[in-house]
Amino acid sequence: MKFLLLIGFLVLILTWWVDGGVGAITDSMVELTLVQSAIPKGAVCLDGTPPGYHIQRGYGSGANNWLVDLEGGGWCNNRRSCLFRSTTALGSSKYMDKTYFSAILSNKAEENPDFYNWNRVRVRYCDGASFAGEGYDNESGLYFRGQRIWSAIMEELMGLGMSSAQQALLSGCSAGGLASVLHCDNFRALFPSQTIVKCLADAGLFLDYVDVSGLHGLRSFYDGVVTLQGVAQNLPERCTSRMNATLCFFPENIVNEIETPMFLLNAAYDTWQIQYSLAPVSAIQDGPWKFCRLNYAKCDSSQIEFLQGFRKNMTTVAESFYQSKATNGLFINSCFTHGQSVLPDTWYGNNSPSIANKGIAQSVGDWYFNRSEVKLIDCPYPCDTTCHNLVT
């Protein structure tokens, strides 16, 4: 699977931009801030360059509230893939630039009614292990310092006023969603007890599920990430004390024990997991999954049955998560997509995805502000007509 996971994420990122069209590009272009003070701490990207973030200041009623979003973009599990990654913006700040804030980061009330006037931050992702690695590879000269990057940027944000936040939300999409899970309780620990702190993981519920050849391909890939980048030492001890560290990189094995209120937003037929975990190219070759993996409309009844099994596993994990803590929230819709908080059309559009007539942004807001209990799990495909399905 060498480059497939990274390439898959790059393709999906480009697809998000294309699908979002003009609506995804607003006037909220935000400059990059590099954290030069992180270098002496060894908190650097894969190539040794300083990490970075983007920030738009809050105002009015949101002046003392903070939303911190962790960028996603896959992982690297061996020297070769990490070296390739270090020549991109996902491994080096040399290739980073200003970015657009939209959807959950939008500064427009009509796009983001609950968080538009908060202090909003996008933390750039340049380590390849969901901000959880700790190590250095002498042979390649690569730095695996995701955990230090997390700490250095949080320290900087606290110094910029986040330490006095009245309300705070840690969010992330995809690999950033996994990072939100891994760092949720760490984020809570930054603030005094009176601060309202919660976490959102979008498209971060990666499952340890068998692929179409009967193997645990994602588990094997994650094992490379955890081993190469020294992730084990930064995973929850309550998990690593009872199972293999690689298994503790899967959210399903740690979400029930997170103490901070968390919201899981996920598509039950997550297209990244279908294309790069359930039916990866390495497993299908020219077999019957060649077209189904890219377009659900080309799946036969047996393939749909397999995907329904994956959905059932996800909803079982989600139900257990919700029942583990009354303060948790859920929005699991039966769509073929990946990441729904990052585009205006899916986050808060006129025809955005919904369950029981409630959209994603409203669901997250209702949960965060305790306006109502949010436990929304969709009926199986093909019942949902509100989906923005992704096909390639």
Side-chain angles (χ1 to χ4, degrees), residues 106-119:
S106 174
N107 64 352
K108 299 180 182 300
E110 63 270 23
E111 293 181 5
N112 191 24
D114 284 315
F115 307 109
Y116 73 95
N117 64 347
W118 285 31
N119 296 281

Side-chain angles (χ1 to χ4, degrees), residues 106-318:
S106 174
N107 64 352
K108 299 180 182 300
E110 63 270 23
E111 293 181 5
N112 191 24
D114 284 315
F115 307 109
Y116 73 95
N117 64 347
W118 285 31
N119 296 281
R120 286 155 290 106
V121 181
R122 164 66 54 78
V123 180
R124 297 301 295 264
Y125 178 35
C126 65
D127 64 279
S130 289
F131 297 91
E134 176 55 54
Y136 175 76
D137 184 62
N138 289 314
E139 184 173 329
S140 63
L142 293 172
Y143 296 86
F144 304 122
R145 301 290 174 76
Q147 184 71 32
R148 297 195 200 189
I149 291 172
W150 159 265
S151 297
I153 292 185
M154 290 305 108
E155 181 179 346
E156 170 132 331
L157 296 179
M158 295 297 276
L160 292 177
M162 193 169 75
S163 59
S164 60
Q166 295 174 346
Q167 300 178 107
L169 174 63
L170 178 68
S171 68
C173 177
S174 198
L178 171 55
S180 181
V181 171
L182 294 173
H183 287 291
C184 185
D185 283 341
N186 296 332
F187 189 65
R188 162 72 268 185
L190 296 172
F191 301 94
S193 59
Q194 66 267 26
T195 306
I196 299 172
V197 182
K198 300 185 179 183
C199 306
L200 163 67
D202 175 17
L205 190 54
F206 297 97
L207 299 179
D208 183 25
Y209 199 77
V210 294
D211 63 28
V212 295
S213 63
L215 301 176
H216 286 265
L218 189 55
R219 184 192 300 180
S220 177
F221 183 89
Y222 273 178
D223 188 58
V225 176
V226 170
T227 301
L228 177 67
Q229 300 205 38
V231 173
Q233 60 192 295
N234 296 319
L235 295 173
E237 186 177 354
R238 56 184 175 269
C239 181
T240 56
S241 64
R242 58 186 173 84
M243 64 177 66
N244 179 276
T246 296
L247 295 179
C248 296
F249 202 58
F250 284 95
E252 64 191 279
N253 294 321
I254 58 178
V255 288
N256 290 4
E257 297 176 347
I258 292 174
E259 297 178 357
T260 308
M262 170 160 277
F263 192 99
L264 294 182
L265 164 62
N266 232 95
Y269 308 98
D270 185 285
T271 49
W272 187 90
Q273 294 191 62
I274 292 173
Q275 294 174 19
Y276 300 99
S277 176
L278 301 183
V281 172
S282 60
I284 65 164
Q285 298 180 357
D286 290 324
W289 282 87
K290 181 176 181 179
F291 299 107
C292 170
R293 66 185 290 272
L294 301 176
N295 186 345
Y296 64 95
K298 297 181 179 180
C299 298
D300 61 29
S301 59
S302 65
Q303 291 166 330
I304 291 295
E305 184 178 357
F306 179 86
L307 296 178
Q308 299 293 27
F310 175 75
R311 172 197 172 273
K312 178 62 177 176
N313 185 255
M314 180 175 288
T315 57
T316 298
V317 171

